[in-house]
Amino acid sequence: MIRFLFKLILCVLLALAAGFAYLAVRSGDPVYAVYEWMSPARFQQYDRVIRVVAVEHHLDPMLVKALVWRESRFDPGKHGTHGERGLMQVSEKAANEWARENKIADFYSDQLFDPKTNLEAGTWYLHRAIEHWKHQADPLPFALAEYNAGASRAQRWSGGNDIADMPVGKFLQNIDFPGTRKYIESIIDRYKFYQRRGRM
């Protein structure tokens, strides 16, 4: 009887493992799926606030989550190499622009370690960048370049072409920072991953 129960439990565990492996592979990123399954708190704990803040700023929550994944891997205490802070790695300059534009008194940069404040500032900045490039057929790569490397560099890579339509491929070729090109591609890939599975 004990051997039978042991075999039954083993069969159930193997079936569960096979089912999970199948779902992980179907997700498009099995490594991410495994990590998310092992640590759901880390990968999903900011989903609600991401949804709320993204909708406030007229952005797709899946895009905002893709950017958070790339910038901080969901670590609200992350420090960047150039002073960026928090989930969306917002720079002090961008945060001060956000605070000034939104009339937030007594703002100081360490408030960017608060997830909601960081998401507010980061999504505001991303929305502004997308609006700046809205005349492009696909403004997202241009906006992500601006988010990562600054408006003046994105402007240079576009050849000063922020009004007329420029092919995305040509824009990406013009980017002379390989890290920025990889940054754009990784966020767009992660965004598509969330869209394919139909949830953040």
Side-chain angles (χ1 to χ4, degrees):
M1 182 69 171
I2 292 174
R3 285 178 69 185
F4 172 75
L5 283 174
F6 177 75
K7 285 182 180 180
L8 181 64
I9 291 169
L10 186 61
C11 286
V12 168
L13 290 174
L14 287 172
L16 286 172
F20 179 74
Y22 173 74
L23 291 173
V25 169
R26 276 200 67 209
S27 75
D29 188 340
V31 173
Y32 183 95
V34 168
Y35 280 129
E36 187 178 37
W37 179 72
M38 290 170 54
S39 180
R42 179 174 182 180
F43 284 76
Q44 298 165 15
Q45 66 182 325
Y46 302 110
D47 285 2
R48 188 190 62 72
V49 70
I50 286 171
R51 272 190 211 94
V52 169
V53 173
V55 169
E56 280 175 11
H57 293 277
H58 311 288
L59 294 174
D60 185 343
M62 293 183 199
L63 171 61
V64 174
K65 184 167 180 173
L67 195 142
V68 170
W69 166 82
R70 176 62 176 80
E71 288 286 3
S72 68
R73 296 300 196 268
F74 311 107
D75 176 4
K78 183 172 181 190
H79 283 81
T81 54
H82 299 290
E84 306 91 349
R85 293 172 169 87
L87 289 173
M88 294 184 76
Q89 289 294 277
V90 179
S91 71
E92 192 169 345
K93 180 181 177 214
N96 286 331
E97 289 174 24
W98 163 75
R100 189 168 49 252
E101 182 78 18
N102 290 279
K103 298 177 175 53
I104 296 169
D106 301 322
F107 173 76
Y108 57 95
S109 56
D110 278 354
Q111 289 174 314
L112 291 170
F113 293 117
D114 170 66
K116 186 157 190 315
T117 301
N118 189 280
L119 289 164
E120 289 282 357
T123 53
W124 173 85
Y125 189 83
L126 180 61
H127 179 261
R128 188 180 74 169
I130 290 172
E131 282 294 302
H132 177 238
W133 297 99
K134 68 183 176 184
H135 299 293
Q136 299 294 336
D138 182 4
L140 185 55
F142 298 85
L144 290 173
E146 181 172 324
Y147 191 96
N148 179 252
S152 60
R153 288 190 183 105
Q155 192 76 26
R156 177 168 57 86
W157 295 327
S158 73
N161 196 9
D162 62 346
I163 302 298
D165 192 23
M166 177 181 199
V168 170
K170 179 156 179 43
F171 175 71
L172 292 174
Q173 283 178 349
N174 289 348
I175 296 175
D176 52 5
F177 290 7
T180 296
R181 193 165 38 246
K182 188 173 180 182
Y183 172 90
I184 293 166
E185 290 166 354
S186 69
I187 291 173
I188 290 173
D189 286 348
R190 181 64 45 196
Y191 181 29
K192 288 177 180 173
F193 164 75
Y194 291 139
Q195 289 176 315
R196 272 195 312 273
R197 73 179 191 171
R199 64 184 175 84
M200 292 180 7

